[in-house]
Every structure is written in C-alpha cells, then in structure tokens.
Amino acid sequence: MTKLLASPFSSLLAVVFISVISVVRCCSPSDQTALNAFKSSLSEPNLGIFNTWSENTDCCKQWYGISCDPDSGRVTDISLRGESEDAIFQKAGRSGYMSGSIDPAVCDLTALTSLVLADWKGISGEIPPCITSLASLRILDLAGNKITGEIPSEIGKLSKLAVLNLAENRMSGEIPPSLTSLAELKHLELTENGITGVIPADFGSLKMLSRVLLGRNELTGSIPESISGMERLADLELSKNHIEGPIPGWMGNMKVLSLLNLDCNSLTGPIPGSVLSNSGFSIVNLSQNALEGSIPDVFGSKTYFVSLDLSHNKLSGRIPDSLSSAKFVGHFDISHNRLCGRIPTGSPFDHLEAASFADNECLCGGPLMKLC
C-alpha cells in the first residue's frame, strides 16, 4: 500500500486552520477592552468576583459571569447576580454587595444577548441611554440596586427583548411610549420604584407578555381596556399605586390570568361577578380600595382560590352561601368592611380565624364567637 505523505502546502493549511480556530475562540480584544471599562466603574469588595477578570486570561473561558459565542469569540452574556448558589457565594457565606455605576462601555459589546447585574444592592446612577443600541439583547435584569433616572426613552428599539426587570430600584419618570412596541417581551417587572403617570393606553399591544409586575410605584389613571386582549397574561400585579376607577368586568374573562393583585389603590364601584367566578384565578387581592356593593354570589364547585382578599373596602350585605360549595379556598379575608349576617358554616369557614371577619358592621357566628 502506498503511504500518503502530507505536502508542505497541506501542512501549512492545517496550521493556518488551527490558528484561525484558536483566534476566533478567544475573547474579542475590543470586547475585553469594553469589559475592563465596565469593571472599572464597579466595586465588589467581599467576594472577589472581579479577581478572575485578569488581563492575562481569556475573558470567554475564565472570567466569572462571562459567556461568549464559541465561533466568533464575541461576548454574549454578562450574568452577575448578588444572590446566588454559586460556590463563590457559599464559600463566603454571604450575599453580595457591589457599588458603582454601569459604564456606557457596555454598549460596545454589540453581540450581547443578556445583561444581568441584579441584587447587588448598591449599584447606582442611570441606565446608559446607549443600552438601546444592543440589537441582540434579550434579557435586561438590573433589579435590586439603587439605579436612578428614567427608563430609556428608546427602549422600544430592543426588538428582541424578552425580559425587562428593573424592580427594586429608585427609578422615576413615566413608562416610555416606545416600551409598548417590544413585541417579544414576555416578562416586565418594574416593582418598587417611583414610576409615575398612567399605564399606556396601548399596553395591550404587548401580546407576548405573561407577567406584568408594576406594584409599589406611583402609577395613576385607570386600567387600560387594551389589556383585555393580552391572551398570554398570567400574572397582573398593580398593587400599591394610585389607580382609580372601576374594576373592568372583562378582567374575569381573561383565559390564562391566575394572579390578580390590585390592592392598595383607589378603585371604586362593585366587584364584577366575572372576577370571582373565573375558575382559573388562584390569587386575587382587591383589598384596601373603596369597592362597594355586595360580594357576588357566583362561587361554585370549580372555585379554587389559594388566596382571596377583599378586606378594607366598603362591601355590604351578606357573605354568599355559595362560597361553601367552593372546591378550595385557602386564605380568605373580608375584614374591615360593612358586611352583616351569619357567617356560613362548613368549608372554608371552619378553618378561618376571627381576624378574617373582624371589623364589620354586624357579622355573627362562626369564629367570631358572636351569637346571631
């Protein structure tokens, strides 16, 4: 058999090929420069997170929290959480603390798909407006810090964004109109900031949204009717704002909605029967509003509430007997209303405490130990 010898030309090609593979799999020099600028604006004194970010190591392979595209060597993910089960946290036996600000150099990481810089408690300053130039960004999670300023006005340019979490910061201003053009957005969390203004009238154009968490802000106005068309919406959290007007009846017709928290607002009018008869709802909190009228007598064998809180309103009349036919009611609170009459017997009333019925006009029986 004739032995084939490699020609000098083929050997050279092999060397070039291997060299090219080595180059593209290493961190892009421009990305490493951007990451160094990003690091220089932050301080993490306790865990040594940035000790791995050394000039002499490959940022794609050895830098904590950094991931790259294996073919191009471009940085695709920054994932730095101040609360984690990673070994570095377990060894220290503590959660993280980081201060400083987000350097605009992060916008030079043009292949970035995920920016997670969450739960560090001390990162401040504003979100760089240039963040909206990161066309591939799918996740932006900056929750649990001290970030100030407004949501970037051109946030709508992030056409691939699926997760936007800015919760538990110190942000202000209104929800920018461009946000409603984020067609791929699935999770929106702005909880516990100082966001003002109304929920945009065209908010319902966010058809992919499954979670909307806007509680503990300064939002005003009414609940937009366009939300009725959000067929994937499962969680709606609007508590502790200044939202007014009636609870729309269409809310009870939403097919996948299971969590509805509207507590601590300025809602008025009656509770729509459709909201309490929807067997898909598992958590409903309408407490601390100014709701009036009676509790709709619409419960049945499919009723399943993990929690139903109607306390601190102006509800009157009797407790519906049909509630006794519910499949399950866990937490139930109708205290601080104007209800009267005998508390029904049986489930769920046999496991509830007196506090669930306290401070009504003339309720009697059951756990109140008050004769009728």
Side-chain angles (χ1 to χ4, degrees):
M1 181 180 291
T2 303
K3 186 175 181 179
L4 297 177
L5 298 176
S7 69
F9 179 72
S10 62
S11 299
L12 178 61
L13 282 178
V15 170
V16 171
F17 180 74
I18 292 171
S19 299
V20 169
I21 291 297
S22 299
V23 169
V24 298
R25 293 198 174 187
C26 290
C27 181
S28 161
S30 61
D31 283 1
Q32 186 153 332
T33 298
L35 286 173
N36 281 324
F38 175 77
K39 178 182 73 170
S40 68
S41 295
L42 298 167
S43 174
E44 191 284 294
N46 300 324
L47 302 173
I49 291 289
F50 292 127
N51 290 347
T52 63
W53 290 33
S54 168
E55 290 282 358
N56 301 320
T57 57
D58 185 350
C59 76
C60 290
K61 299 175 182 177
Q62 294 167 283
W63 288 25
Y64 182 88
I66 301 301
S67 300
C68 300
D69 182 279
D71 297 320
S72 68
R74 297 299 309 278
V75 173
T76 55
D77 301 278
I78 298 177
S79 183
L80 299 173
R81 290 191 180 276
E83 296 179 2
S84 173
E85 296 182 359
D86 284 1
I88 192 170
F89 289 85
Q90 294 180 351
K91 184 178 180 180
R94 63 192 300 175
S95 60
Y97 178 82
M98 190 183 294
S99 58
S101 59
I102 303 172
D103 195 284
V106 74
C107 304
D108 294 332
L109 301 170
T110 54
L112 203 64
T113 63
S114 175
L115 174 57
V116 178
L117 192 63
D119 302 319
W120 290 103
K121 307 174 186 69
I123 297 174
S124 57
E126 300 186 2
I127 300 173
C130 64
I131 208 87
T132 62
S133 68
L134 296 174
S136 298
L137 199 65
R138 293 184 54 80
I139 299 173
L140 179 60
D141 186 350
L142 306 176
N145 288 293
K146 296 180 180 177
I147 295 172
T148 55
E150 301 184 4
I151 301 170
S153 61
E154 297 184 337
I155 193 77
K157 287 184 176 181
L158 298 175
S159 60
K160 297 182 179 179
L161 197 66
V163 175
L164 177 60
N165 189 352
L166 306 177
E168 297 178 28
N169 279 289
R170 300 177 178 179
M171 301 191 70
S172 57
E174 300 185 359
I175 297 173
S178 74
L179 187 142
T180 60
S181 63
L182 294 173
E184 298 297 317
L185 195 63
K186 296 177 176 65
H187 179 112
L188 174 63
E189 186 165 1
L190 306 177
T191 310
E192 201 169 332
N193 278 285
I195 306 296
T196 58
V198 302
I199 301 171
D202 61 342
F203 194 80
S205 62
L206 298 168
K207 300 294 186 184
M208 298 296 289
L209 265 180
S210 62
R211 303 195 76 202
V212 175
L213 309 177
L214 306 179
R216 286 173 281 172
N217 279 289
E218 303 294 332
L219 294 169
T220 56
S222 58
I223 300 170
E225 185 177 356
S226 64
I227 291 178
S228 64
M230 299 173 71
E231 296 182 353
R232 299 181 182 222
L233 187 63
D235 298 339
L236 180 60
E237 160 72 84
L238 301 178
S239 62
K240 297 183 180 178
N241 280 286
H242 307 289
I243 295 171
E244 56 190 13
I247 299 173
W250 50 256
M251 299 200 86
N253 301 323
M254 300 189 73
K255 295 180 180 179
V256 299
L257 191 65
S258 63
L259 182 147
L260 179 63
N261 284 349
L262 303 177
D263 54 295
C264 301
N265 280 289
S266 301
L267 297 168
T268 55
I271 299 174
S274 59
V275 170
L276 299 185
S277 64
N278 187 327
S279 60
F281 284 9
S282 61
I283 297 176
V284 173
N285 191 343
L286 308 180
S287 67
Q288 299 192 56
N289 280 285
L291 299 171
E292 299 177 305
S294 60
I295 300 173
D297 192 359
V298 291
F299 304 98
S301 60
K302 294 183 179 180
T303 299
Y304 193 105
F305 284 110
V306 173
S307 178
L308 176 59
D309 194 341
L310 309 178
S311 64
H312 293 271
N313 280 289
K314 300 177 181 179
L315 300 174
S316 57
R318 301 173 62 88
I319 301 173
D321 289 328
S322 64
L323 193 55
S324 297
S325 65
K327 183 176 182 180
F328 177 78
V329 178
H331 174 76
F332 179 63
D333 194 345
I334 52 173
S335 63
H336 302 278
N337 277 289
R338 301 172 181 176
L339 298 166
C340 273
R342 181 186 297 274
I343 297 172
T345 56
S347 179
F349 304 100
D350 53 4
H351 73 261
L352 298 173
E353 298 182 358
S356 296
F357 306 96
D359 289 316
N360 275 282
E361 284 193 352
C362 50
L363 282 179
C364 59
L368 287 179
M369 302 300 290
K370 180 180 178 182
L371 295 177
C372 294

